[in-house]
Amino acid sequence: MPTWTIAAVQMDCRLGDSAGNLSVMRSKLREAAGRGARLIAFPECILSGYCFSSAAEAASVAEPLPGPASEALATDCRELGTFAIFGLLERAGDRLFNSAALVGPNGLIGRYRKAHLPCIGVDRCTAAGDLPFEVHDLGGLRVGMLICYDCGFPEASRVLTLAGADLIVLPTNWPPEAASTARLLVPARALENRIFFAAVDRIGTERGFRFIGQSRICDVTGDFLAISDDDRETILYAEIDPERARQKRIVNIPGEYELNRVADRRPELYGALTTGRTRSE
C-alpha cells in the first residue's frame, strides 16, 4: 500500500479577515504540495479566527459548506492533486457550528462539527456538533476529523478507529493551559488506537488569548514523527503508511506476548459510558 506525505500548517490568522486568511492558506497549500504533501491540514477556525465575543459577530464571518472558501481550496486541490482539511465557522440555516471541512479535487468531501464545546472563545456561541463521527477514504488513506477539545474525550477517537480510520486530523486552537493536551493526550490517542494522529495548532495572540503552536504528528506507537516545540510559523511533514494503522495485532513473542487494542476490548463492560451523566458532574 502506498505511503502518504501529510502536512500540518502551523500559522496565525487575523480575526474576522476571511479573505486575507484564505489567501495565506492557499499560499501555504501550494508550498506544502510543492514538498510532496498529498493531505494538508490547517488549524481550527483558521478561516475566521476564534475569539469572537458574540454569536452575531461570529455569524458575520461564517460560511456555508460548500461555500466560497471550500470551493477556492478545492480548485487548488484539483490543480495540485491534493486534499485539504481546514477549520471554519459554518453557517447552517440559523445555526452556527465550529467545523472542519475536508476538500479535494472534486470539491467538498466531508465536514465535521465540533462535538465537545468548552466555555471559551467562539465555542460559547456555537451549537454542539450534530453529525456522526465519520471516516472518509481518500483513495488509500482513511481519515477522520476531530476539533481541539474533542481530543480530551477518548471515546471520539475510538469511534473513528472502529469506523476504520488510519489517521485522525485534529485542527486546534490551544492556549497555554492546553500544553499538557499537546504533550500527553495526542500521543495517547495514537497509541491506544494504533492510528496516526495529526494535531495542527495555530499561533499568535487574539484579544488577549495566546496560542501555543506545538503541532505534532504521531506514529501508531504514539512516538512523534514531526513536532513543533514552539509557537513559530512552520509546516510539519510526515510520511505515513496506512497499512500500519490497519495491523492492530502486535506480536512481540508469538503465543506469549501479543496485543490487539481493538479485538481485546470488552464493550459489554462499558455500559456506563452511554448511560448519561454521573454523580461526579
Side-chain angles (χ1 to χ4, degrees):
M1 178 176 293
T3 61
W4 281 64
T5 300
I6 65 171
V9 180
Q10 181 170 288
M11 59 177 280
D12 198 359
C13 67
R14 293 175 62 88
L15 185 70
D17 184 10
S18 296
N21 296 333
L22 179 60
S23 178
V24 176
M25 291 164 61
R26 297 182 76 176
S27 175
K28 298 292 185 183
L29 182 75
R30 290 184 176 277
E31 179 182 348
R35 292 277 303 272
R38 296 178 63 194
L39 173 62
I40 298 109
F42 294 90
E44 176 184 13
C45 287
I46 195 63
L47 185 65
S48 61
Y50 182 76
C51 295
F52 294 95
S53 58
S54 69
E57 184 186 29
S60 69
V61 292
E63 293 193 7
L65 285 173
S70 66
E71 291 299 309
L73 289 169
T75 297
D76 294 338
C77 288
R78 189 174 306 116
E79 176 188 344
L80 300 168
T82 59
F83 299 87
I85 290 174
F86 69 99
L88 75 159
L89 291 175
E90 179 193 359
R91 184 174 66 249
D94 60 355
R95 295 186 300 169
L96 183 68
F97 293 97
N98 183 341
S99 296
L102 169 61
V103 299
N106 295 321
L108 181 69
I109 296 170
R111 79 190 79 193
Y112 170 72
R113 294 169 175 169
K114 190 173 183 179
H116 304 92
L117 300 179
C119 182
I120 182 173
V122 77
D123 287 320
R124 298 170 300 162
C125 311
T126 57
D130 58 353
L131 299 176
F133 299 110
E134 291 185 314
V135 172
H136 306 278
D137 193 332
L138 304 187
L141 179 66
R142 300 191 298 231
V143 180
M145 295 179 285
L146 298 174
I147 299 174
C148 199
Y149 193 42
D150 291 322
C151 186
F153 299 83
E155 298 86 353
S157 295
R158 181 52 58 93
V159 169
L160 287 172
T161 298
L162 295 177
D166 305 316
L167 165 70
I168 292 176
V169 175
L170 182 87
T172 186
N173 279 187
W174 283 326
E177 294 79 8
S180 57
T181 296
R183 188 175 67 253
L184 301 173
L185 291 189
V186 171
R189 297 292 90 90
L191 171 64
E192 68 194 4
N193 292 295
R194 195 167 172 81
I195 55 169
F196 295 94
F197 202 109
V200 52
D201 192 23
R202 67 167 287 190
I203 59 173
T205 300
E206 197 174 271
R207 288 183 171 171
F209 281 89
R210 182 173 70 85
F211 301 99
I212 62 174
Q214 300 187 32
S215 302
R216 52 208 57 213
I217 304 172
C218 285
D219 194 11
V220 298
T221 60
D223 295 313
F224 295 124
L225 294 173
I227 185 171
S228 167
D229 285 323
D230 55 38
D231 59 355
R232 290 179 293 182
E233 183 176 281
T234 189
I235 303 178
L236 302 181
Y237 298 90
E239 194 81 11
I240 66 172
D241 180 0
E243 186 62 32
R244 293 189 62 224
R246 300 179 193 184
Q247 295 297 325
K248 302 300 187 187
R249 184 183 178 200
I250 306 166
V251 180
N252 294 297
I253 303 174
E256 295 185 25
Y257 184 2
E258 300 185 11
L259 302 171
N260 190 317
R261 297 186 187 278
V262 173
D264 293 341
R265 294 175 306 117
R266 297 287 308 283
E268 71 274 14
L269 302 179
Y270 307 154
L273 292 175
T274 60
T275 57
R277 300 184 180 277
T278 69
R279 283 180 288 177
S280 62
E281 293 181 330

Short mmCIF file of all heavy atoms in Angstrom, two decimals, residues 1-3 135 140-143 160-168 189-197 218-221 225 239-250 260-262:
data_model
loop_
_atom_site.label_atom_id
_atom_site.label_comp_id
_atom_site.label_asym_id
_atom_site.label_seq_id
_atom_site.Cartn_x
_atom_site.Cartn_y
_atom_site.Cartn_z
N MET A 1 0.85 -1.19 0.00
CA MET A 1 0.00 0.00 0.00
C MET A 1 0.88 1.25 0.00
O MET A 1 1.81 1.34 0.81
CB MET A 1 -0.91 -0.01 1.23
CG MET A 1 -1.81 1.21 1.35
SD MET A 1 -2.94 1.09 2.74
CE MET A 1 -3.99 -0.26 2.19
N PRO A 2 0.63 2.20 -0.90
CA PRO A 2 1.47 3.40 -0.96
C PRO A 2 1.41 4.22 0.33
O PRO A 2 0.38 4.27 1.01
CB PRO A 2 0.87 4.19 -2.14
CG PRO A 2 0.07 3.20 -2.91
CD PRO A 2 -0.41 2.19 -1.93
N THR A 3 2.52 4.86 0.65
CA THR A 3 2.54 5.78 1.78
C THR A 3 2.02 7.14 1.34
O THR A 3 1.93 7.44 0.15
CB THR A 3 3.96 5.92 2.34
OG1 THR A 3 4.82 6.45 1.32
CG2 THR A 3 4.50 4.57 2.80
N VAL A 135 -15.55 8.55 8.78
CA VAL A 135 -14.25 8.31 8.17
C VAL A 135 -14.40 8.43 6.66
O VAL A 135 -15.36 7.91 6.07
CB VAL A 135 -13.71 6.92 8.56
CG1 VAL A 135 -12.46 6.58 7.77
CG2 VAL A 135 -13.44 6.87 10.06
N GLY A 140 -7.04 5.20 -0.49
CA GLY A 140 -5.91 4.53 0.12
C GLY A 140 -5.59 5.03 1.50
O GLY A 140 -4.87 4.37 2.26
N LEU A 141 -6.09 6.19 1.87
CA LEU A 141 -5.91 6.73 3.22
C LEU A 141 -7.29 7.05 3.79
O LEU A 141 -8.05 7.82 3.19
CB LEU A 141 -5.06 8.01 3.20
CG LEU A 141 -4.84 8.68 4.55
CD1 LEU A 141 -4.01 7.80 5.48
CD2 LEU A 141 -4.17 10.05 4.37
N ARG A 142 -7.61 6.46 4.94
CA ARG A 142 -8.91 6.68 5.57
C ARG A 142 -8.74 7.67 6.72
O ARG A 142 -7.99 7.41 7.67
CB ARG A 142 -9.48 5.35 6.05
CG ARG A 142 -9.66 4.36 4.90
CD ARG A 142 -10.45 3.13 5.25
NE ARG A 142 -9.86 2.31 6.29
CZ ARG A 142 -9.66 0.98 6.18
NH1 ARG A 142 -10.01 0.34 5.07
NH2 ARG A 142 -9.14 0.30 7.18
N VAL A 143 -9.46 8.79 6.63
CA VAL A 143 -9.24 9.93 7.51
C VAL A 143 -10.49 10.27 8.30
O VAL A 143 -11.60 10.33 7.74
CB VAL A 143 -8.80 11.17 6.69
CG1 VAL A 143 -8.57 12.37 7.61
CG2 VAL A 143 -7.55 10.87 5.89
N LEU A 160 -13.90 6.66 15.78
CA LEU A 160 -13.30 6.80 14.46
C LEU A 160 -12.39 5.61 14.13
O LEU A 160 -12.35 5.16 12.99
CB LEU A 160 -12.51 8.11 14.38
CG LEU A 160 -13.36 9.37 14.31
CD1 LEU A 160 -12.49 10.62 14.45
CD2 LEU A 160 -14.16 9.43 13.02
N THR A 161 -11.70 5.10 15.14
CA THR A 161 -10.87 3.91 14.94
C THR A 161 -11.73 2.72 14.54
O THR A 161 -11.42 1.99 13.58
CB THR A 161 -10.09 3.57 16.21
OG1 THR A 161 -9.21 4.67 16.53
CG2 THR A 161 -9.26 2.31 16.05
N LEU A 162 -12.83 2.53 15.24
CA LEU A 162 -13.72 1.40 14.93
C LEU A 162 -14.36 1.57 13.55
O LEU A 162 -14.73 0.57 12.91
CB LEU A 162 -14.80 1.28 16.00
CG LEU A 162 -14.31 0.93 17.41
CD1 LEU A 162 -15.46 0.92 18.39
CD2 LEU A 162 -13.59 -0.41 17.42
N ALA A 163 -14.46 2.81 13.08
CA ALA A 163 -15.00 3.07 11.74
C ALA A 163 -13.95 2.91 10.65
O ALA A 163 -14.27 3.09 9.47
CB ALA A 163 -15.61 4.46 11.69
N GLY A 164 -12.71 2.61 11.05
CA GLY A 164 -11.68 2.30 10.08
C GLY A 164 -10.66 3.38 9.81
O GLY A 164 -9.89 3.28 8.84
N ALA A 165 -10.58 4.41 10.66
CA ALA A 165 -9.64 5.49 10.41
C ALA A 165 -8.19 5.00 10.48
O ALA A 165 -7.81 4.27 11.41
CB ALA A 165 -9.85 6.62 11.40
N ASP A 166 -7.38 5.41 9.52
CA ASP A 166 -5.94 5.23 9.58
C ASP A 166 -5.30 6.43 10.27
O ASP A 166 -4.26 6.31 10.92
CB ASP A 166 -5.33 5.13 8.18
CG ASP A 166 -5.95 4.05 7.33
OD1 ASP A 166 -6.15 2.94 7.84
OD2 ASP A 166 -6.23 4.32 6.14
N LEU A 167 -5.92 7.59 10.08
CA LEU A 167 -5.39 8.87 10.55
C LEU A 167 -6.53 9.71 11.09
O LEU A 167 -7.60 9.79 10.47
CB LEU A 167 -4.73 9.61 9.37
CG LEU A 167 -4.42 11.10 9.54
CD1 LEU A 167 -3.29 11.30 10.53
CD2 LEU A 167 -4.09 11.74 8.18
N ILE A 168 -6.30 10.33 12.24
CA ILE A 168 -7.21 11.36 12.75
C ILE A 168 -6.49 12.70 12.66
O ILE A 168 -5.34 12.83 13.10
CB ILE A 168 -7.66 11.08 14.19
CG1 ILE A 168 -8.55 9.84 14.25
CG2 ILE A 168 -8.39 12.29 14.78
CD1 ILE A 168 -8.97 9.43 15.65
N ARG A 189 -3.79 9.19 22.25
CA ARG A 189 -4.85 8.82 21.30
C ARG A 189 -4.29 7.96 20.17
O ARG A 189 -4.94 7.03 19.70
CB ARG A 189 -5.50 10.07 20.71
CG ARG A 189 -6.23 11.00 21.68
CD ARG A 189 -7.48 10.38 22.27
NE ARG A 189 -7.21 9.68 23.50
CZ ARG A 189 -7.23 10.20 24.71
NH1 ARG A 189 -7.51 11.46 24.87
NH2 ARG A 189 -7.00 9.44 25.77
N ALA A 190 -3.07 8.26 19.73
CA ALA A 190 -2.45 7.45 18.68
C ALA A 190 -2.13 6.05 19.20
O ALA A 190 -2.45 5.04 18.56
CB ALA A 190 -1.18 8.14 18.17
N LEU A 191 -1.50 5.98 20.35
CA LEU A 191 -1.07 4.70 20.91
C LEU A 191 -2.24 3.79 21.24
O LEU A 191 -2.26 2.60 20.88
CB LEU A 191 -0.24 4.94 22.17
CG LEU A 191 0.12 3.71 23.01
CD1 LEU A 191 1.00 2.75 22.23
CD2 LEU A 191 0.79 4.13 24.31
N GLU A 192 -3.25 4.32 21.92
CA GLU A 192 -4.33 3.46 22.40
C GLU A 192 -5.20 2.92 21.28
O GLU A 192 -5.89 1.92 21.45
CB GLU A 192 -5.19 4.22 23.42
CG GLU A 192 -6.01 5.36 22.85
CD GLU A 192 -6.57 6.27 23.92
OE1 GLU A 192 -6.26 6.05 25.11
OE2 GLU A 192 -7.31 7.22 23.57
N ASN A 193 -5.16 3.58 20.13
CA ASN A 193 -5.95 3.14 18.98
C ASN A 193 -5.11 2.56 17.85
O ASN A 193 -5.65 2.06 16.87
CB ASN A 193 -6.77 4.31 18.44
CG ASN A 193 -7.84 4.75 19.41
OD1 ASN A 193 -8.77 4.01 19.70
ND2 ASN A 193 -7.71 5.96 19.94
N ARG A 194 -3.81 2.67 17.97
CA ARG A 194 -2.86 2.28 16.93
C ARG A 194 -3.24 2.91 15.59
O ARG A 194 -3.46 2.25 14.57
CB ARG A 194 -2.75 0.76 16.80
CG ARG A 194 -1.52 0.33 16.00
CD ARG A 194 -1.19 -1.15 16.10
NE ARG A 194 -0.13 -1.50 15.17
CZ ARG A 194 1.17 -1.31 15.36
NH1 ARG A 194 1.59 -0.76 16.50
NH2 ARG A 194 2.05 -1.66 14.45
N ILE A 195 -3.29 4.23 15.61
CA ILE A 195 -3.57 5.03 14.42
C ILE A 195 -2.56 6.17 14.35
O ILE A 195 -1.86 6.47 15.33
CB ILE A 195 -4.99 5.64 14.46
CG1 ILE A 195 -5.18 6.46 15.75
CG2 ILE A 195 -6.06 4.58 14.31
CD1 ILE A 195 -6.42 7.30 15.77
N PHE A 196 -2.47 6.81 13.21
CA PHE A 196 -1.71 8.05 13.09
C PHE A 196 -2.61 9.20 13.57
O PHE A 196 -3.83 9.17 13.38
CB PHE A 196 -1.29 8.27 11.64
CG PHE A 196 -0.33 7.24 11.13
CD1 PHE A 196 -0.79 6.13 10.44
CD2 PHE A 196 1.04 7.38 11.34
CE1 PHE A 196 0.09 5.17 9.97
CE2 PHE A 196 1.93 6.42 10.88
CZ PHE A 196 1.46 5.32 10.19
N PHE A 197 -1.98 10.20 14.17
CA PHE A 197 -2.75 11.33 14.72
C PHE A 197 -1.98 12.61 14.42
O PHE A 197 -0.81 12.74 14.78
CB PHE A 197 -2.94 11.16 16.23
CG PHE A 197 -4.09 11.92 16.80
CD1 PHE A 197 -5.23 11.26 17.25
CD2 PHE A 197 -4.06 13.30 16.90
CE1 PHE A 197 -6.31 11.94 17.79
CE2 PHE A 197 -5.14 14.01 17.44
CZ PHE A 197 -6.26 13.33 17.88
N CYS A 218 1.82 12.10 15.11
CA CYS A 218 2.24 10.93 15.87
C CYS A 218 2.11 9.66 15.06
O CYS A 218 1.15 9.49 14.29
CB CYS A 218 1.41 10.79 17.15
SG CYS A 218 1.87 11.96 18.42
N ASP A 219 3.05 8.76 15.30
CA ASP A 219 3.03 7.43 14.74
C ASP A 219 1.99 6.58 15.47
O ASP A 219 1.46 6.97 16.52
CB ASP A 219 4.42 6.82 14.90
CG ASP A 219 4.64 5.57 14.07
OD1 ASP A 219 3.80 5.27 13.21
OD2 ASP A 219 5.66 4.90 14.31
N VAL A 220 1.72 5.38 14.94
CA VAL A 220 0.76 4.47 15.58
C VAL A 220 1.25 3.98 16.94
O VAL A 220 0.47 3.46 17.74
CB VAL A 220 0.47 3.26 14.68
CG1 VAL A 220 -0.16 3.71 13.37
CG2 VAL A 220 1.73 2.43 14.41
N THR A 221 2.52 4.17 17.23
CA THR A 221 3.10 3.81 18.52
C THR A 221 3.00 4.93 19.55
O THR A 221 3.38 4.76 20.70
CB THR A 221 4.58 3.44 18.34
OG1 THR A 221 5.26 4.59 17.79
CG2 THR A 221 4.75 2.24 17.42
N LEU A 225 6.43 11.70 14.86
CA LEU A 225 7.02 11.70 13.52
C LEU A 225 7.49 13.10 13.14
O LEU A 225 8.46 13.26 12.41
CB LEU A 225 6.00 11.21 12.50
CG LEU A 225 5.56 9.75 12.62
CD1 LEU A 225 4.43 9.46 11.64
CD2 LEU A 225 6.73 8.81 12.38
N GLU A 239 5.67 11.12 6.70
CA GLU A 239 5.33 10.05 5.78
C GLU A 239 4.61 8.97 6.58
O GLU A 239 5.14 8.48 7.59
CB GLU A 239 6.59 9.47 5.14
CG GLU A 239 6.34 8.59 3.95
CD GLU A 239 6.12 9.39 2.67
OE1 GLU A 239 6.35 10.62 2.67
OE2 GLU A 239 5.70 8.78 1.67
N ILE A 240 3.40 8.64 6.18
CA ILE A 240 2.64 7.64 6.93
C ILE A 240 2.22 6.49 6.03
O ILE A 240 1.95 6.68 4.84
CB ILE A 240 1.42 8.26 7.64
CG1 ILE A 240 0.39 8.77 6.64
CG2 ILE A 240 1.84 9.39 8.56
CD1 ILE A 240 -0.89 9.21 7.30
N ASP A 241 2.19 5.32 6.61
CA ASP A 241 1.83 4.09 5.90
C ASP A 241 0.50 3.60 6.46
O ASP A 241 0.45 3.07 7.57
CB ASP A 241 2.92 3.05 6.11
CG ASP A 241 2.62 1.73 5.41
OD1 ASP A 241 1.55 1.62 4.76
OD2 ASP A 241 3.44 0.80 5.52
N PRO A 242 -0.60 3.77 5.72
CA PRO A 242 -1.91 3.36 6.24
C PRO A 242 -1.97 1.90 6.67
O PRO A 242 -2.71 1.56 7.60
CB PRO A 242 -2.85 3.63 5.06
CG PRO A 242 -2.16 4.68 4.25
CD PRO A 242 -0.71 4.38 4.38
N GLU A 243 -1.19 1.05 6.04
CA GLU A 243 -1.23 -0.37 6.37
C GLU A 243 -0.83 -0.62 7.81
O GLU A 243 -1.34 -1.53 8.46
CB GLU A 243 -0.32 -1.16 5.42
CG GLU A 243 -0.41 -2.67 5.58
CD GLU A 243 -1.80 -3.21 5.29
OE1 GLU A 243 -2.51 -2.64 4.44
OE2 GLU A 243 -2.17 -4.22 5.92
N ARG A 244 0.07 0.19 8.33
CA ARG A 244 0.50 0.02 9.73
C ARG A 244 -0.65 0.28 10.69
O ARG A 244 -0.77 -0.37 11.73
CB ARG A 244 1.67 0.94 10.06
CG ARG A 244 2.95 0.58 9.31
CD ARG A 244 4.13 1.37 9.81
NE ARG A 244 4.39 1.10 11.20
CZ ARG A 244 4.66 2.03 12.12
NH1 ARG A 244 4.67 3.32 11.78
NH2 ARG A 244 4.90 1.69 13.37
N ALA A 245 -1.52 1.23 10.35
CA ALA A 245 -2.67 1.52 11.21
C ALA A 245 -3.70 0.41 11.15
O ALA A 245 -4.52 0.27 12.07
CB ALA A 245 -3.29 2.85 10.82
N ARG A 246 -3.69 -0.38 10.10
CA ARG A 246 -4.68 -1.44 9.93
C ARG A 246 -4.22 -2.76 10.55
O ARG A 246 -5.03 -3.68 10.71
CB ARG A 246 -4.99 -1.62 8.45
CG ARG A 246 -5.55 -0.33 7.84
CD ARG A 246 -5.86 -0.43 6.36
NE ARG A 246 -6.10 0.90 5.81
CZ ARG A 246 -6.47 1.16 4.58
NH1 ARG A 246 -6.63 0.15 3.71
NH2 ARG A 246 -6.66 2.41 4.16
N GLN A 247 -2.96 -2.82 10.89
CA GLN A 247 -2.43 -4.01 11.56
C GLN A 247 -2.53 -3.81 13.07
O GLN A 247 -1.60 -3.35 13.71
CB GLN A 247 -0.98 -4.25 11.13
CG GLN A 247 -0.82 -4.60 9.66
CD GLN A 247 -1.50 -5.90 9.29
OE1 GLN A 247 -1.55 -6.85 10.08
NE2 GLN A 247 -2.06 -5.96 8.08
N LYS A 248 -3.68 -4.14 13.63
CA LYS A 248 -3.90 -3.90 15.06
C LYS A 248 -3.24 -4.96 15.95
O LYS A 248 -2.98 -4.71 17.12
CB LYS A 248 -5.41 -3.87 15.35
CG LYS A 248 -6.19 -2.82 14.57
CD LYS A 248 -5.71 -1.41 14.85
CE LYS A 248 -6.60 -0.36 14.19
NZ LYS A 248 -6.06 1.00 14.31
N ARG A 249 -3.01 -6.11 15.40
CA ARG A 249 -2.41 -7.19 16.20
C ARG A 249 -0.90 -6.99 16.29
O ARG A 249 -0.20 -6.89 15.28
CB ARG A 249 -2.71 -8.54 15.56
CG ARG A 249 -2.21 -9.72 16.37
CD ARG A 249 -2.47 -11.02 15.63
NE ARG A 249 -1.97 -12.16 16.36
CZ ARG A 249 -1.73 -13.34 15.81
NH1 ARG A 249 -1.97 -13.52 14.51
NH2 ARG A 249 -1.26 -14.34 16.53
N ILE A 250 -0.41 -6.89 17.51
CA ILE A 250 1.01 -6.69 17.77
C ILE A 250 1.57 -7.98 18.37
O ILE A 250 1.13 -8.41 19.45
CB ILE A 250 1.24 -5.51 18.74
CG1 ILE A 250 0.54 -4.25 18.22
CG2 ILE A 250 2.73 -5.27 18.96
CD1 ILE A 250 0.44 -3.15 19.26
N ASN A 260 -3.82 -6.68 20.97
CA ASN A 260 -4.68 -6.12 19.93
C ASN A 260 -5.62 -5.13 20.61
O ASN A 260 -6.58 -5.53 21.29
CB ASN A 260 -5.48 -7.21 19.22
CG ASN A 260 -6.21 -6.68 17.99
OD1 ASN A 260 -6.79 -5.59 18.04
ND2 ASN A 260 -6.19 -7.44 16.91
N ARG A 261 -5.34 -3.84 20.45
CA ARG A 261 -6.06 -2.82 21.22
C ARG A 261 -7.50 -2.63 20.76
O ARG A 261 -8.26 -1.90 21.39
CB ARG A 261 -5.30 -1.50 21.17
CG ARG A 261 -3.93 -1.59 21.82
CD ARG A 261 -3.25 -0.23 21.89
NE ARG A 261 -1.88 -0.36 22.37
CZ ARG A 261 -1.54 -0.45 23.65
NH1 ARG A 261 -2.48 -0.42 24.58
NH2 ARG A 261 -0.27 -0.57 24.00
N VAL A 262 -7.88 -3.28 19.66
CA VAL A 262 -9.27 -3.27 19.22
C VAL A 262 -9.95 -4.58 19.61
O VAL A 262 -10.98 -4.60 20.28
CB VAL A 262 -9.38 -3.02 17.71
CG1 VAL A 262 -10.82 -3.19 17.24
CG2 VAL A 262 -8.91 -1.61 17.37
#
